[in-house]
């Protein structure tokens, strides 16, 4: 008989965290600290930092998979812990930036917050590519939360058969989210108001 007690112990927390994080991000995304009378220090330096963190996360994920394939379990565990830490760090910076800055409109070259007809025409299909990447990035960044947590808990429970099964799903999605985070940043960076 299998012992699922460790997994069952964490299931409630996985559900709570998987719902709480996207809801909190969605709520805070619409909050601007200046609207509450706070003097806001510009955090415009954060996007390139959190984009870099996404890039580092991608490299760490690949290194972690290579480590486990080469039988280096402790290195794999440490790298996965680092990937989770980097993702949490990214999330904190992402929220802080969006609470202190107005949203940037892709293609808005005059920085007035509106994409006018000439700006839209100049973008051509690039805008659709950007939106496709952004939307898939956002949806999968929500989906990856429970996947990472379940994968982690299965390793914690030493249920490596089940861990390996879900890791085969979790890894490519997490890697996609990390890589598209960098691409989306690189695409929108020219439109940030400085």
């Amino acid at each position: 008989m299998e012992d699922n007690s460790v997994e069952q112990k964490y299931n409630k927390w996985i559900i709570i965290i998987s719902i709480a994080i996207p809801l909190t991000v969605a709520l805070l995304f619409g909050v601007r600290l200046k609207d509450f009378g706070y003097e806001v220090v510009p955090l415009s330096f954060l996007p390139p930092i959190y984009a870099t963190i996404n890039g580092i996360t991608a490299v760490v994920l690949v290194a972690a998979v290579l480590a486990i394939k080469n039988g280096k379990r402790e290195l794999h565990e440490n790298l996965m812990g680092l990937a989770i830490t980097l993702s949490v760090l990214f999330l904190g910076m992402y929220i802080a930036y969006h609470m202190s800055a107005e949203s940037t409109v892709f293609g808005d070259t005059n920085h007035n917050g509106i994409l006018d007809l000439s700006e839209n025409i100049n973008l051509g299909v690039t805008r659709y590519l950007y939106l496709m990447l952004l939307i898939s990035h956002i949806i999968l960044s929500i989906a990856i939360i429970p996947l990472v947590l379940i994968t982690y808990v299965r390793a914690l429970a030493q249920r490596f058969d089940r861990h390996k099964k879900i890791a085969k799903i979790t890894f490519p999605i997490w890697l996609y989210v990390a890589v598209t985070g960098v691409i989306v940043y690189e695409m929108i960076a020219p439109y940030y108001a400085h």
Side-chain angles (χ1 to χ4, degrees):
M1 187 167 164
E2 294 180 346
D3 179 15
N4 293 325
S5 59
V6 174
E7 288 181 75
Q8 289 171 349
K9 175 181 165 184
Y10 287 103
N11 280 344
K12 176 177 65 172
W13 289 108
I14 290 171
I15 292 166
I16 290 168
I17 292 168
S18 298
I19 293 170
I21 290 175
L23 282 179
T24 302
V25 171
L27 289 172
L28 292 177
F29 200 81
V31 172
R32 299 290 178 268
L33 294 175
K34 68 178 178 125
D35 295 342
F36 294 95
Y38 293 104
E39 190 172 323
V40 180
V41 176
L43 300 177
S44 57
F45 62 92
L46 284 179
I49 294 171
Y50 63 67
T52 301
I53 288 172
N54 264 331
I56 293 168
T57 301
V59 171
V60 168
L61 288 171
V62 171
V65 168
L66 293 174
I68 200 64
K69 286 185 183 270
N70 290 313
K72 298 177 181 176
R73 187 168 142 192
E74 187 176 340
L75 177 59
H76 172 76
E77 290 172 6
N78 291 336
L79 289 169
M80 292 313 301
L82 177 59
I84 290 169
T85 302
L86 288 168
S87 293
V88 170
L89 190 60
F90 160 83
L91 185 61
M93 289 183 188
Y94 180 82
I95 291 170
Y97 171 73
H98 284 284
M99 287 180 71
S100 69
E102 296 299 322
S103 291
T104 300
V105 177
F106 182 78
D108 181 20
T109 53
N110 63 6
H111 307 291
N112 67 352
I114 300 167
L115 190 64
D116 64 37
L117 183 59
S118 65
E119 289 169 327
N120 204 357
I121 289 170
N122 286 337
L123 288 173
V125 296
T126 308
R127 180 165 174 77
Y128 298 107
L129 175 62
Y130 171 78
L131 290 173
M132 182 185 73
L133 284 172
L134 178 63
I135 291 167
S136 66
H137 172 82
I138 291 169
I139 291 168
L140 291 175
S141 70
I142 294 167
I144 199 61
I145 297 166
L147 289 171
V148 168
L149 294 172
I150 292 166
T151 306
Y152 180 77
V153 166
R154 287 184 178 175
L156 191 65
Q158 297 190 10
R159 296 298 314 277
F160 298 114
D161 55 330
R162 293 166 53 92
H163 169 79
K164 187 175 179 180
K165 275 184 182 177
I166 196 162
K168 287 182 178 183
I169 298 166
T170 304
F171 169 72
I173 295 172
W174 196 355
L175 184 62
Y176 179 86
V177 168
V179 170
T180 55
V182 176
I183 295 169
V184 164
Y185 165 74
E186 288 295 332
M187 290 180 81
I188 200 162
Y191 305 109
Y192 283 124
H194 297 287

